[in-house]
């Protein structure tokens, strides 16, 4: 895979006029409750995903990316609770469904790959048992034999060598990269419309990371699966995603088509992330750069912009200290539909447009 | 798998051999002189000496040991002079009573602990968890004989809904035809429901009292491992496949949570089978515990010796079963090449 920015074609960019969303999340809110207070981990996040589109979510540790993913799937466990919002998947709000109704949704219409393949597989069940579990759940007509054959086929597809033999192995007999391939096989077993991959390569070494990502790229392209890829790695975003959502303190602070985001970061947080590394094509490896300062305490949300204390642009600014910025359309860039949550979004877009005009 | 069974069985045989030597040596170093005991306190030294020769006590230790083992396997477990019956007869009549009591106590403890641990963890209700946990702490700290007396006082003395300390059956109740010599089972086999309920009523209190501390112990072990396992990522994976919460829990969490409990369960099971001196005394239960206590008091070492060997045997067999079960449940103990993190 090359490292050029968003080069593959599928629904490139944002197109708000397009109504055919496979997934539309609106104002999703989740919190973790404890004796010491309530952590508002996801604070009204909205997200749109078209069929076959790839959306990236980046943001520093604790910004609520995993909580968001689990909330979408309804898999948040106490003390975590979804407290508001809609999750419209294939036209119906799955946030309203109960555990019984969700049976036909999870693993069938939407699935997830977790970060750590070491702990995501049950150590006392064979790889085959864990793949066929999902096949038999959603394609019972295949029967036991058919499910096993399908599982072997899947293992071949995720490039596990000697699949016919290794299907009866246990997870501890697989390497980390192979286990993540198995997780991908499980997630794609029933051809879901949406795949959420929560840092699928973070736990792997660099070479394996690249292999697994190339594999994922091929599989979702073949199947036309829409992907939400959560990552710390801006290089992966540049390679893989059409659209990027930048999360900060439980909010989406900026979203834009990948190329636009790298060229014109509107939100000062995004800019700081990009500024911390010299060139986008050098981002390919390594985690998100760190930015001075600490994210706010999500248990007691202060007035004003949550990035204020760390913001080079707005620190100390009265408006930023007292008023919560609203999501502002960053009109004027190529594909449109970009937003940023900053009091100065309009000015910054105007600056970019001026700059582009003078250099053009 | 076969290799596992074979190596574990070999190890078990070694353990039983060790126990047999211990039991043998015990008798040789015990303060009481069996020849003197048999001959009586007023016998002359010559008579005692003759008795020693008759008992084979003059032979070399090695040949004595082999004769002892040979006799043991032929069912000659020595003679209990304090009662005047062969040891094997005595144990044969007492062992089923202890096994039946221990079995029920074990079942109460384990089934109760599984249910309580699920109640305390699955729904994550703090109040339920705290209540059961408090009860378990009480169970771990309570002396069984004290508890035995208290519940006897309440259910027999005050409420009078359960039988008093009268052994395994009501005085006028006939024992069921002998098959296993466990009355509840034999009664069911013979279709005697009345006998079954009578035996069950007599078992209830002692089995509950005997099982209380093991219940508390199992509960705490299971609760801890259930809490640990229920946070595991692979449960989320299972649920992300569309498996319902309870099904995922039953299929992926329960077997894994059982592993740490298995070893403890085996040891406790063996201990329960061997009988309990104090609880058996309170309920007049004609089990092994009382027999061994009397054996020790009377310096009737043949009884004690047989008990040691049987106890060792029970421990070893139970552990063997546990080891094999472990291999069945956890593949990591079967295949050596663990690539753990
Ligand atoms: N089980 C939990 N109990 C309490 N708070 C939690 C729990 N899980 C997450 N949180 C809090 O919720 C917030 C969001 O966490 P989340 O795991 O979604 O972050 P993330 O963006 O996925 O971070 P990372 O990049 O490290 O995976 C954090 O502030 C975290 O402290
Ligand atoms: S609103 Fe103010 S503090 Fe927040 S990001 Fe924009 S400039 Fe910075
Ligand atoms: Mg995360």
């Amino acid at each position: 895979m090359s490292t050029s920015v968003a080069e593959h074609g599928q629904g490139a960019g944002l197109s708000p006029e397009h109504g055919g969303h496979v997934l539309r999340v609106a104002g999703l809110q989740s919190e973790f409750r404890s004796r010491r207070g309530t952590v508002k981990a996801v604070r009204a996040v909205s997200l749109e995903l078209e069929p076959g589109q790839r959306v990236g979510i980046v943001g520093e540790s604790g910004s609520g990316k995993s909580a968001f993913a689990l909330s979408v799937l309804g898999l948040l466990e106490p003390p975590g609770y979804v407290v508001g919002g809609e999750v419209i998947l294939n036209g119906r709000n799955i946030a309203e469904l109960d555990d019984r109704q969700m049976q036909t949704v999870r693993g069938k219409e939407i699935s997830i790959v977790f970060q750590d393949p070491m702990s995501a597989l049950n150590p006392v069940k064979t790889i085959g048992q864990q793949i066929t579990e999902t096949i038999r759940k959603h394609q019972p007509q295949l029967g036991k034999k058919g499910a096993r054959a399908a599982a072997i086929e899947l293992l071949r597809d995720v490039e596990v060598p000697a699949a016919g033999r290794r299907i009866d192995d246990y997870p501890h007999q697989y390497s980390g990269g192979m286990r993540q391939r198995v997780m991908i096989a499980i997630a794609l077993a029933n051809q879901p419309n949406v795949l959420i991959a929560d840092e699928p390569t973070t736990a792997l070494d660099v070479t394996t990371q690249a292999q697994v990502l190339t594999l994922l790229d091929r599989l979702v392209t073949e199947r036309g699966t829409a992907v939400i890829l959560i990552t710390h790695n801006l290089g992966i975003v540049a390679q893989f995603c059409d659209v990027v959502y930048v999360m900060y303190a439980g909010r989406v602070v900026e979203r834009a088509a990948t190329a636009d985001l790298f060229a014109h970061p509107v939100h000062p947080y995004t800019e700081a992330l990009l500024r911390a590394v010299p060139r986008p094509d050098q981002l390919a490896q390594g985690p998100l750069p760190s930015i001075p300062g600490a994210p706010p305490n999500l248990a007691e949300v202060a007035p004003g912009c949550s990035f204020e204390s760390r913001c080079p642009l707005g620190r100390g600014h009265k408006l930023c200290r007292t008023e919560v910025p609203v999501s502002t359309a960053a009109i004027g860039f190529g594909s449109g539909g970009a937003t940023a949550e900053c009091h100065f979004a309009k000015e910054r877009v105007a600056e970019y447009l001026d700059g582009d005009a003078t250099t053009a | 798998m076969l290799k596992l069974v074979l190596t574990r069985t070999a190890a078990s045989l070694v353990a039983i051999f060790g126990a047999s030597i211990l039991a043998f040596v015990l008798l040789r170093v015990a303060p009481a002189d069996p020849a003197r005991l048999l001959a009586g306190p007023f016998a002359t030294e010559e008579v005692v000496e003759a008795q020693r020769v008759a008992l084979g006590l003059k032979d070399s230790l090695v040949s004595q040991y082999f004769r002892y083992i040979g006799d043991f396997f032929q069912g000659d477990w020595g003679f209990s002079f304090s009662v005047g019956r062969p040891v094997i007869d005595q144990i044969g009549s007492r062992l089923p009573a202890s096994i039946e009591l221990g079995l029920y106590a074990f079942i109460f403890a384990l089934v109760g602990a599984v249910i309580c641990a699920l109640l305390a963890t699955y729904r994550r209700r703090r109040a339920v968890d705290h209540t059961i946990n408090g009860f378990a702490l009480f169970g771990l700290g309570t002396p069984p004989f004290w508890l035995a007396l208290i519940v006897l006082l309440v259910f027999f003395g005050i409420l009078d809904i359960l039988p008093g300390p009268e052994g395994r059956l009501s005085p006028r109740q006939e024992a069921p035809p002998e098959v296993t010599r466990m009355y509840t089972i034999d009664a069911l086999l013979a279709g005697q429901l009345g006998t079954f309920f009578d035996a069950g009523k007599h078992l209830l209190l002692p089995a509950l009292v005997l099982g209380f501390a093991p219940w508390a112990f199992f509960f705490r072990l299971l609760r801890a491992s259930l809490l640990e396992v229920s946070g595991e990522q692979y449960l989320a994976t299972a649920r992300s496949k569309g498996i319902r919460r309870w099904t995922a829990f039953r299929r992926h969490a329960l077997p894994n949570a059982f592993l740490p409990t298995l070893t403890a369960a085996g040891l406790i099971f063996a201990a329960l089978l061997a009988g309990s001196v104090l609880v058996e005394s309170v309920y007049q239960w004609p089990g092994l515990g009382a027999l061994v206590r009397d054996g020790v008091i009377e310096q009737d070492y043949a009884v004690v010796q047989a008990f040691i060997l049987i106890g060792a045997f029970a421990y070893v067999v139970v552990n063997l079963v546990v080891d094999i079960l472990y291999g069945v449940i956890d593949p990591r103990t079967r295949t050596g090449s663990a690539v753990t993190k």
Side-chain angles (χ1 to χ4, degrees), chain B:
Chain B
M1 195 66 210
L2 184 70
K3 192 167 154 240
L4 176 95
V5 175
L6 288 179
T7 50
R8 296 291 202 277
T9 311
S12 307
L13 288 177
V14 172
I16 291 182
F17 174 69
S20 71
I21 292 204
L22 184 76
F24 174 74
V25 168
L26 178 90
L27 200 67
R28 313 300 127 173
V29 300
D33 179 348
R36 166 61 72 188
L37 281 168
L38 269 183
F42 305 113
T44 60
E45 191 51 39
E46 289 88 73
V47 176
V48 175
E49 190 63 24
Q51 189 63 259
R52 284 199 187 102
V53 175
L55 285 173
L57 295 177
K58 288 282 177 193
D59 301 349
S60 80
L61 278 180
V62 176
S63 67
Q64 281 189 49
Y65 172 77
F66 279 110
R67 193 168 59 240
Y68 157 67
I69 289 297
D71 289 350
F72 190 87
F73 280 108
Q74 285 163 26
D76 179 3
W77 294 2
F79 192 80
S80 165
F81 48 83
S82 67
V83 185
R85 283 171 69 194
V87 172
I88 193 158
D89 287 359
Q90 272 192 305
I91 290 196
S93 71
R94 300 293 195 107
L95 189 62
S98 275
I99 289 184
E100 186 171 36
L101 178 58
L103 204 61
Y104 280 96
F106 182 75
I107 292 171
F108 284 151
L110 199 61
V111 173
V114 170
I115 293 173
C116 289
L118 282 174
L119 282 177
T121 57
Y122 183 66
R123 290 274 173 217
R124 294 171 202 245
R125 298 233 170 84
R126 275 231 179 82
V128 179
D129 190 18
H130 286 330
T131 311
I132 304 180
N133 221 350
F135 211 60
L137 284 178
F138 175 69
L140 286 178
T142 313
F145 70 93
W146 178 81
L147 190 69
L149 287 171
I150 294 291
V151 295
L152 194 61
L153 191 69
V154 173
F155 290 97
F156 170 62
I158 300 173
L159 299 174
D160 199 17
I161 49 174
L162 286 172
E166 53 187 30
R168 304 173 73 184
L169 291 170
S170 300
R172 241 155 287 152
Q173 184 74 48
E174 289 264 328
E178 270 183 20
V179 184
T180 62
R181 296 202 203 172
M182 290 187 235
Y183 288 171
T184 49
I185 296 177
D186 287 352
L188 278 186
L189 287 178
Q192 301 174 348
L193 277 188
T195 315
F196 172 78
F197 285 118
D198 191 64
K201 264 196 276 181
H202 285 78
L203 268 167
L204 193 60
L205 284 186
L208 282 178
V209 168
L210 201 57
F212 191 42
W215 165 81
F217 185 67
F218 288 150
F219 165 75
R220 291 182 54 88
L221 268 179
L222 273 173
R223 177 182 170 277
S225 56
L226 273 178
L227 278 182
E228 199 184 308
V229 169
S230 64
E232 291 282 357
Q233 186 94 66
Y234 53 76
L235 268 186
T237 303
R239 296 194 59 211
S240 79
K241 300 172 186 173
I243 308 295
R244 292 186 68 175
R245 189 160 184 265
W246 170 246
T247 313
F249 203 76
R250 188 169 43 76
R251 210 179 278 170
H252 293 278
L254 278 186
N256 304 27
F258 252 114
L259 283 175
T261 317
L262 206 56
T263 313
L267 293 177
I268 288 182
F269 184 56
L272 284 176
L273 289 187
S276 149
V277 175
L278 292 169
V279 173
E280 286 183 3
S281 304
V282 172
Y283 291 96
Q284 299 291 312
W285 197 263
L288 271 189
L291 181 72
V292 172
R293 177 202 54 198
D294 293 345
V296 172
I297 294 171
E298 305 277 346
Q299 299 195 325
D300 200 345
Y301 286 102
V303 173
V304 180
Q305 194 181 30
F307 177 76
I308 290 177
L309 254 194
I310 292 174
F313 205 75
Y315 268 94
V316 167
V317 169
V318 166
N319 266 319
L320 180 65
V321 172
V322 164
D323 276 350
I324 291 170
L325 275 182
Y326 237 104
V328 170
I329 300 183
D330 192 344
R332 286 167 297 187
T333 55
R334 243 180 290 153
T335 50
S337 67
V339 191
T340 41
K341 57 180 159 174

Side-chain angles (χ1 to χ4, degrees), chain A residues 127 131 151-169 173-175 177-185 215 218:
Chain A
I127 298 294
I131 303 178
I152 294 177
E153 196 48 49
L154 272 168
L155 273 185
R156 287 211 182 96
D157 214 15
V158 296
E159 294 160 17
V160 168
R165 183 169 52 81
R166 301 217 58 183
I167 187 170
D168 295 318
D169 281 358
Q173 293 162 296
Y174 274 44
S175 69
M178 297 233 297
R179 286 190 221 189
Q180 199 58 302
R181 287 161 194 267
V182 171
M183 287 304 299
I184 293 172
L215 173 78
R218 173 172 70 73

Side-chain angles (χ1 to χ4, degrees), chain A residues 14 180 269:
Chain A
L14 291 160
Q180 199 58 302
Y269 175 63

Side-chain angles (χ1 to χ4, degrees), chain A residues 32 39 41 59-68 79 115 199 232 298:
Chain A
F32 292 96
V39 173
E60 62 196 337
S61 199
S63 55
K65 304 182 296 295
S66 297
F68 171 75
Q115 170 176 347
E199 306 193 31
H232 279 156
L298 291 174

